[in-house]
Amino acid sequence: MSSKISRRKFLKLVAGSGAVGFGVMAAGCKGKPSGAEGWIPDQYQGKGDFPVNLKGRVAISDANPSIERDDEKCILCGQCVEACKNVMGVYGNYPLPLKSEIACVNCGQCVMWCPSGAITEKRNIKEVLAAIDDDTKHVVVQTAPATKVSLGEEFGMPPGTSVGNKMAGALKEAGFDAVFDTCFSADLTIMEEASEFVHRLTAAKDEIPHLTSCCPGWVKYCEYFYPELMHNLSTCKSPQNMMGATIKSFYADKMGIKPENIVNVSIMPCTAKKFEVAREELEVDGNRDMDYVLTTRELAVLLKSKGIDLNTVPEREYDSVLGESTGAGKIFGATGGVTEAAVRSAYFFATGSNPPADLLSWQPVRGMTAVKEATASIPGVGTVNIAVCHGLENARQLLDGIKASGSSKWQFIEFMACPGGCIGGGGQPKSTVAAQNSAKLKRIEAIYKEDTGSAKRCSHDNTEIQSVYKEFFGKPLSEKAEKYLHTTFVNRHDRLFS
Ligand code: SF4
Ligand code: SF4
């Protein structure tokens, strides 16, 4: 059978396909409105043949802050649709024609699945380099836990190589003024979120089940498709933004630098973080928490452009004040990690004692099973039923089950948009096939190894965290903590549904 079809036949095929899919795909073509004539990519506008197996593609708005597509590279293979629909539960999960917004949770899984490299993250490398070169700016960078076990892959190292201190050295060499660790603010998130969870369990039961909120892809998914559950979301900002707000308040005060002269950059495994930093809710007193996000892949490009090789760069410690982290902060990068870290500190807040050994190596919440269930017994609180879910199509099925039954058997549910959690994020190295778990498992193994190798395993034992509370925030859930470390959400349902 011929592997090509004529342009005429192709257009006929498309015309007969109805609005579903193609109307949406139309919006992905720059400058061509949805459904308009000539919606197919420019390279297919002239005479010639088309691949017979073309299947369409996801729509990408020009205004999307996270991803973009080079039409010249697109082969209409449909892999992005597969990822968006079957892994993330977004594509097709809304009625057509489109209302006021192209549905996208900015996860970047389509980037990982796109075989031709047509879809990429929207890059911010130039802006970051310009900030570094601007002598009037104090440029601070933070690195997420999942990037420390994956950046090495961009420099030829095997998946699961821990390169945190090499990355800190490389970032210093690249010219950043301070290098902080997002694992620190993961510990800060746990201080707030575990306190919030204990409060909800004992005094605000209408906010149970408690839904985690550190994943911006999941948060946007909830805002689009399950707005009735928004009051169950933890109000905690993500570790990235807790760090950003702390840098432009506590750190700025300590260093005598005006917040407006600080440029906050983060190295993230995630493209949705680029959407998150643009959220209007995430600023305090007119200062944006964060300014720029670079994915793990972008950082590799930046370092290589400066001739910095991770294999040879000297290791450095993270800068202090906001650089110490515990094992609990480190495991945020893997599915189940947020839950395990939160339970460790919730146990301490409820009992005054650190958790027993089994909760420090809590196997039921670990691994790649789509939905994991666990039960924790916390003296004074009782038995807590927990679910851990990764991949938003899995989230959709779990939440629809809760809606159908009218109640949740779980009091705490962790959601991560990407398969495997942050270690499988849309900004991670593409050196391995996205659908394969082997690289993700190696990255997860490295993260738990860092946890067991840490002198401190619980967020509340972090001495720099204790200092920040003593000197600035007071205590978890204080008025000041609420101002800087908590946020609100936006109902986006009506942008997709009538
Ligand atoms: S996966 Fe990439 S090449 Fe395939 S249709 Fe989507 S954008 Fe085009
Ligand atoms: S970023 Fe995620 S939600 Fe957006 S089009 Fe790609 S796969 Fe779909």
Side-chain angles (χ1 to χ4, degrees):
M1 194 176 83
S2 165
S3 63
K4 305 278 185 176
I5 58 174
S6 69
R7 181 172 185 269
R8 185 184 169 81
K9 196 168 169 191
F10 173 70
L11 290 171
K12 212 172 155 191
L13 180 124
V14 168
S17 70
V20 180
F22 291 112
V24 177
M25 284 184 287
C29 300
K30 284 183 183 165
K32 294 175 187 118
S34 177
E37 202 180 337
W39 58 267
I40 54 174
D42 289 339
Q43 71 267 38
Y44 298 126
Q45 295 291 333
K47 286 182 182 171
D49 294 337
F50 301 94
V52 77
N53 59 345
L54 52 85
K55 290 178 182 161
R57 56 192 197 163
V58 293
I60 301 174
S61 160
D62 285 351
N64 193 313
S66 302
I67 57 168
E68 61 188 357
R69 175 169 37 220
D70 179 349
D71 279 350
E72 296 300 317
K73 291 183 181 168
C74 177
I75 56 173
L76 286 172
C77 66
Q79 285 297 297
C80 50
V81 171
E82 291 284 317
C84 193
K85 184 177 181 187
N86 299 329
V87 181
M88 305 314 290
V90 175
Y91 184 95
N93 199 13
Y94 43 83
L96 292 173
L98 292 169
K99 277 190 77 190
S100 54
E101 185 161 313
I102 293 171
C104 175
V105 297
N106 309 86
C107 65
Q109 285 303 311
C110 50
V111 176
M112 304 306 280
W113 282 58
C114 179
S116 68
I119 311 182
T120 58
E121 67 277 310
K122 225 171 220 175
R123 289 186 171 175
N124 293 109
I125 298 171
K126 276 187 196 151
E127 293 91 332
V128 170
L129 288 174
I132 290 173
D133 287 341
D134 184 344
D135 292 339
T136 67
K137 299 295 181 193
H138 184 79
V139 188
V140 182
V141 65
Q142 57 170 301
T143 69
T147 65
K148 298 185 194 181
V149 293
S150 63
L151 180 66
E153 292 165 42
E154 294 284 345
F155 291 85
M157 300 176 200
T161 306
S162 289
V163 295
N165 293 109
K166 280 186 168 288
M167 183 161 30
L171 289 164
K172 277 282 179 186
E173 204 155 307
F176 288 94
D177 295 304
V179 182
F180 291 142
D181 192 348
T182 316
C183 297
F184 165 88
S185 47
D187 279 334
L188 189 56
T189 302
I190 287 303
M191 294 297 285
E192 294 295 320
E193 188 159 357
S195 306
E196 183 187 39
F197 179 51
V198 171
H199 171 74
R200 286 179 170 185
L201 277 174
T202 51
K205 292 188 176 160
D206 60 320
E207 292 172 10
I208 294 292
H210 175 102
L211 311 180
T212 60
S213 64
C214 52
C215 168
W218 146 246
V219 167
K220 196 177 182 192
Y221 193 83
C222 184
E223 292 171 326
Y224 269 147
F225 300 112
Y226 299 93
E228 68 277 17
L229 294 176
M230 276 166 42
H231 76 286
N232 295 81
L233 285 170
S234 165
T235 62
C236 291
K237 289 180 182 175
S238 69
Q240 169 186 264
N241 277 68
M242 282 203 184
M243 177 68 97
T246 306
I247 288 169
K248 290 195 180 177
S249 55
F250 167 77
Y251 174 76
D253 281 359
K254 222 176 172 57
M255 299 293 288
I257 304 170
K258 288 182 180 167
E260 55 268 33
N261 288 335
I262 293 177
V263 177
N264 271 337
V265 179
S266 64
I267 311 301
M268 292 284 142
C270 173
T271 52
K273 289 284 173 192
K274 290 175 185 274
F275 165 77
E276 184 182 33
V277 299
R279 289 182 69 112
E280 286 177 9
E281 309 77 47
L282 293 172
E283 67 174 39
V284 184
D285 298 336
N287 292 307
R288 308 287 316 152
D289 288 349
M290 292 299 305
D291 298 291
Y292 301 112
V293 174
L294 300 181
T295 62
T296 316
R297 292 190 298 269
E298 281 175 282
L299 176 60
V301 172
L302 183 149
L303 294 179
K304 287 172 186 175
S305 76
K306 285 185 162 269
I308 300 168
D309 183 350
L310 207 66
N311 291 287
T312 53
V313 78
E315 294 192 351
R316 290 276 297 259
E317 292 299 320
Y318 282 85
D319 286 319
S320 102
V321 190
L322 307 173
E324 182 183 333
S325 63
T326 69
K330 294 181 171 94
I331 58 178
F332 255 64
T335 163
V338 175
T339 300
E340 189 169 340
V343 167
R344 289 179 193 177
S345 283
Y347 190 99
F348 176 81
F349 293 146
T351 66
S353 308
N354 269 342
D358 61 325
L359 290 183
L360 292 173
S361 178
W362 207 22
Q363 299 305 319
V365 298
R366 298 187 180 186
M368 292 294 282
T369 304
V371 178
K372 294 165 276 188
E373 296 185 77
T375 301
S377 291
I378 303 179
V381 169
T383 300
V384 181
N385 295 319
I386 290 167
V388 172
C389 177
H390 56 121
L392 289 177
E393 172 56 19
N394 298 325
R396 189 180 67 78
Q397 292 177 22
L398 184 148
L399 290 168
D400 285 350
I402 291 176
K403 275 173 82 171
S405 70
S407 66
S408 167
K409 60 178 174 172
W410 305 289
Q411 286 93 46
F412 183 106
I413 312 177
E414 173 192 309
F415 289 104
M416 290 289 163
C418 295
C422 305
I423 54 92
Q428 290 284 62
K430 276 184 74 174
S431 44
T432 49
V433 179
Q436 284 183 346
N437 279 346
S438 56
K440 292 176 193 167
L441 287 169
K442 291 277 182 206
R443 293 171 189 163
I444 288 175
E445 199 181 309
I447 275 184
Y448 285 118
K449 204 167 160 194
E450 288 193 2
D451 172 31
T452 47
S454 298
K456 294 172 185 169
R457 306 282 303 284
C458 299
S459 300
H460 51 269
D461 288 330
N462 184 324
T463 45
E464 287 186 355
I465 290 281
Q466 291 164 356
S467 299
V468 173
Y469 275 106
K470 198 168 164 201
E471 292 178 40
F472 194 72
F473 292 123
K475 60 180 185 180
L477 309 184
S478 69
E479 203 175 310
K480 208 166 186 181
E482 291 284 349
K483 174 180 174 180
Y484 287 97
L485 306 179
H486 291 255
T487 188
T488 54
F489 305 103
V490 177
N491 185 338
R492 298 175 197 273
H493 188 78
D494 292 346
R495 302 178 194 191
L496 302 182
F497 299 89
S498 300

